[in-house]
Every structure is written in structure tokens, then in C-alpha cells.
């Protein structure tokens, strides 16, 4: 495929990114606007996230994903996650403060972006030349072990939840807990509740015993929103081939992530990232692989969202068909979302 044809394909396709940490990044870089512009009234917008995590300096620099970068990179929809791991004792407050900040931004930039409650919202946004944000919670500790919080978050628009981070949580053990166990009783009930509400179960960061508990328990497809292939890079955050197969058998999708040390134990390249996509396709099948950048959370293999067309060009250079490239760019995730969130 010619380079111009690859660019055309990228511009025409529905492109979905399964994970970013940009809400917190915008706040921690001086309460930036969703278009990446620094505010004059930033101090008036300081909340719990700014207080608990403090600012990253230099202020206002280094954002990988904002409205302008999404448009320039042809990114139509993205999972905007709030990682609630670090604010010990304040997980739910932290989440609500971050969501409140983001709601205010989306309202201000309503001509450009909407919060998607369904797959049809994503398609509608695309048709109207708007961007779509899928709200996600990273680490179910945000629920503070309550069964009553998740339904409220669903009403607010949350449509995906990462069960754990890499550490121990109320739901289970993350991938970096030595000798960790599977899902706890709370974690098992949580998977059931997520299925009932129509919220995507995300197993990225979860350890292997917990992963297999999800496989046994879930009635719905599930995702690993930002992971790579362990066969190519030996890291506990990556999925083994048997995990990729099990995820596919459930109808799930793995979002191949751009975190360099999940891609390669040496200096990671775009070719290495494409190798992970190719390996996942060969093991799980073309219908079960997507993109999960982790922009603004460690996904630094690409400079920012403006470079996403390079992935399309790379896939075209490896002789993937247009139909298969569209699936990887977003079609597979849209199919899963339509099945789970409606």
C-alpha cells in the first residue's frame, strides 16, 4: 500500500485508543484546558488531585494527548482513565475530583468532544466530526469496597474498570505482587456487578491467577486495555500466549500498549511495537487486537497522539489488508463495546 493510501485509510477509519492517563496529566500540568492551553485561572480550579499529587514541572509541557493532538493524529475516540492507585485513603475522592474536572472541560469544549455512554455515541460523534471519550477507572480501590458506588459511577458515564493496578488491591493482586493470589471475594462479586451493569472488565495489571479467575467468571468479553505480548518481552505486565487465546475465546480484545519497557527489554522501536501487534494477531486472531497507548502514563514509544498514523503506515507496510487494519485501529474495540455497553 502506498504511503498516501495508508494516510487516507487512517483518516477514514474509526480509530480508538483503549487507554490514556490524560485527565490526571492535564490537572498535574497546571490544570490545562482540554485543548492543551494553559489557563490564567488555574489556581481557581485546584482540587483534590492537584493537592494529593502536586504539579509536574515544567508546567504546561509534555502532554501527549489533547483535542488538537487527537485531531492531528486521526484519533476519534479514547478511553480516558483515572488511575486511583496512589492517593492512599482518598481513592474515591481522587476519582470524583478528576471526573468533575473532566466533565467541566467536556462541557466547555462540547463542540469538539462528548462523553460516550454507548457504542452508538462513538459512531455519532465520528459522523458529526466530534471526538468521543469513554470514561474508565483504573484500580477498583476507587470503590472503597462498597457495592453501591459502581452503579453511581455507571450513571455518571463510567464504562470500563481496570480491576487492579500492579500492586495488591481489594479486588485481587496485581502482576507485581510476589506469590499473589487470585481474585478476592470482593473481586469476584465486582466482576459479576460489572457484567450486570454493562461495564468493561479490564485485566491489564492483574496477575495470572486473577486473570484466570476472570476467564472462569465473566459472562461477557473482557479487555486487556494496555498490555503487550510476553512471548516477545518478558515482563509481568504482558500477556502469555495462553492468556491471549483465552481472551480471544471470550470475544475480548487486547490493546497493544506503547510503554517502551513492555515492548522491548532493550531500546524499543516502532518495528518492535508492530511485532507485538503481529504476534497478538497470530495468536489471538485479527478480531481480538487493538491499540492501548497509555499516553500520559508511560506510553512514550510514540511522542504523542499525532504519530498514530505511523502505526497504520507500518501495518500497511507489512501487507495487512485495509479491512484488517480498520479492525486493529478501532473496529474490534467498537464491536466489543457494542456488545458490552450497548
Amino acid at each position: 500500500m502506498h504511503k498516501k493510501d495508508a494516510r487516507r485509510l487512517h483518516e477514514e477509519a474509526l480509530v480508538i485508543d483503549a487507554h490514556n492517563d490524560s485527565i490526571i496529566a492535564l490537572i498535574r500540568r497546571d490544570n490545562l484546558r482540554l485543548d492543551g492551553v494553559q489557563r490564567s485561572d488555574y489556581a481557581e480550579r485546584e482540587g483534590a488531585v492537584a493537592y494529593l499529587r502536586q504539579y509536574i514541572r515544567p508546567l504546561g509541557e509534555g502532554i501527549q494527548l489533547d483535542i488538537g493532538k487527537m485531531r492531528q493524529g486521526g484519533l476519534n475516540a479514547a478511553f480516558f482513565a483515572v488511575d486511583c492507585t496512589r492517593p492512599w485513603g482518598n481513592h474515591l475522592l481522587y476519582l470524583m475530583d478528576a471526573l468533575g474536572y473532566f466533565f467541566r472541560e467536556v462541557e466547555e469544549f462540547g463542540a469538539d468532544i462528548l462523553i460516550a455512554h454507548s457504542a452508538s455515541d462513538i459512531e455519532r460523534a465520528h459522523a458529526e466530526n466530534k471526538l468521543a471519550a469513554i470514561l474508565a477507572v483504573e484500580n477498583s480501590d476507587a470503590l472503597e469496597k462498597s457495592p453501591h458506588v459502581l452503579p453511581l459511577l455507571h450513571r455518571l458515564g463510567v464504562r470500563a474498570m481496570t480491576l487492579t493496578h500492579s500492586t495488591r488491591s481489594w479486588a485481587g493482586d496485581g502482576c507485581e505482587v510476589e506469590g499473589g493470589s487470585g481474585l478476592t471475594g470482593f473481586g469476584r462479586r465486582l466482576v459479576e456487578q460489572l457484567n450486570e451493569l454493562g461495564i468493561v472488565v479490564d485485566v491489564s495489571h492483574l496477575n495470572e491467577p486473577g486473570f484466570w479467575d476472570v476467564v472462569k467468571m465473566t459472562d461477557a468479553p473482557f479487555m486487556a486495555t494496555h498490555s503487550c505480548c510476553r512471548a516477545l518481552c518478558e515482563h509481568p505486565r504482558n500477556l502469555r500466549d495462553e492468556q491471549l487465546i483465552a481472551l480471544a475465546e471470550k470475544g475480548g480484545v487486547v490493546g497493544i500498549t506503547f510503554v517502551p519497557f513492555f515492548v522491548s527489554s532493550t531500546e524499543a522501536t516502532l518495528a518492535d511495537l508492530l511485532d507485538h501487534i503481529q504476534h497478538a494477531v497470530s495468536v489471538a486472531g485479527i478480531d481480538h487486537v487493538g491499540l492501548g497507548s497509555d499516553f500520559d502514563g508511560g506510553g512514550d514509544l510514540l511522542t504523542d497522539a499525532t504519530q498514530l498514523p505511523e502505526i497504520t503506515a507500518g501495518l500497511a507496510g507489512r501487507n495487512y489488508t485495509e479491512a484488517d487494519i480498520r479492525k486493529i485501529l478501532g473496529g474490534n474495540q467498537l464491536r466489543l463495546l457494542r456488545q458490552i455497553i450497548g
Side-chain angles (χ1 to χ4, degrees), residues 5-307:
D5 294 327
R7 182 69 199 202
R8 171 195 55 76
L9 172 59
H10 187 87
E11 291 173 353
E12 292 177 355
L14 178 63
V15 182
I16 303 176
D17 176 17
H19 188 85
N20 69 61
D21 287 300
S22 301
I23 295 176
I24 299 300
L26 288 165
I27 295 172
R28 295 191 67 205
R29 285 172 175 82
D30 219 12
N31 302 298
L32 292 181
R33 301 187 334 184
L34 196 47
D35 63 356
V37 175
Q38 197 158 14
R39 297 181 176 279
S40 58
D41 63 343
Y42 73 91
E44 298 174 14
R45 301 191 179 227
E46 289 181 346
V49 172
Y51 175 76
L52 291 167
R53 295 293 305 283
Q54 301 299 306
Y55 294 121
I56 296 173
R57 299 184 184 277
L59 296 175
E61 296 182 13
I63 288 290
Q64 291 182 287
L65 188 148
D66 56 32
I67 287 174
K69 290 182 173 70
M70 287 181 73
R71 290 202 179 279
Q72 190 176 343
L75 177 58
N76 306 110
F79 287 61
F80 282 77
V82 178
D83 178 4
C84 303
T85 304
R86 293 181 183 273
W88 297 107
N90 294 283
H91 303 292
L92 181 55
L93 169 64
Y94 186 90
L95 170 64
M96 297 306 289
D97 184 66
L99 291 180
Y101 184 91
F102 191 63
F103 288 157
R104 187 172 178 178
E105 290 299 308
V106 171
E107 183 176 353
E108 183 171 338
F109 291 95
D112 293 293
I113 190 168
L114 58 79
I115 293 174
H117 291 194
S118 65
S120 59
D121 285 345
I122 297 172
E123 293 175 301
R124 175 170 59 86
H126 192 214
E128 295 175 0
N129 195 32
K130 288 185 178 182
L131 308 173
I134 302 102
L135 297 181
V137 177
E138 188 171 15
N139 195 337
S140 62
D141 278 357
L143 303 178
E144 303 288 0
K145 229 182 165 185
S146 168
H148 308 300
V149 173
L150 189 62
L152 297 178
L153 294 178
H154 182 265
R155 290 188 183 188
L156 288 175
V158 170
R159 293 297 183 267
M161 177 165 285
T162 313
L163 297 179
T164 71
H165 206 270
S166 297
T167 56
R168 177 161 287 160
S169 76
W170 289 115
D173 287 335
C175 62
E176 295 181 1
V177 177
E178 293 186 13
S181 302
L183 295 181
T184 63
F186 172 72
R188 291 191 293 272
R189 291 190 296 273
L190 175 58
V191 171
E192 293 174 352
Q193 193 177 28
L194 290 165
N195 283 177
E196 290 168 3
L197 289 169
I199 299 175
V200 176
V201 175
D202 176 18
V203 298
S204 286
H205 290 282
L206 187 61
N207 69 358
E208 290 185 56
F211 174 95
W212 292 113
D213 284 344
V214 170
V215 172
K216 293 174 186 175
M217 292 192 57
T218 186
D219 295 324
F222 63 95
M223 293 187 71
T225 60
H226 54 304
S227 297
C228 283
C229 304
R230 203 152 176 177
L232 301 187
C233 181
E234 179 60 35
H235 193 287
R237 274 283 282 104
N238 291 339
L239 299 180
R240 299 187 189 279
D241 285 358
E242 53 266 35
Q243 291 177 291
L244 290 169
I245 292 169
L247 178 145
E249 289 176 345
K250 284 285 187 176
V253 175
V254 56
I256 299 299
T257 194
F258 308 168
V259 179
F261 51 89
F262 300 164
V263 175
S264 176
S265 57
T266 58
E267 187 173 351
T269 65
L270 177 60
D272 294 327
L273 179 65
L274 294 171
D275 287 344
H276 278 269
I277 294 174
Q278 189 162 320
H279 182 81
V281 167
S282 69
V283 173
I286 190 63
D287 295 321
H288 304 285
V289 182
L291 305 178
S293 72
D294 207 358
F295 282 141
D296 294 312
D300 302 327
L301 184 54
L302 298 187
T303 301
D304 55 37
T306 66
Q307 292 191 319

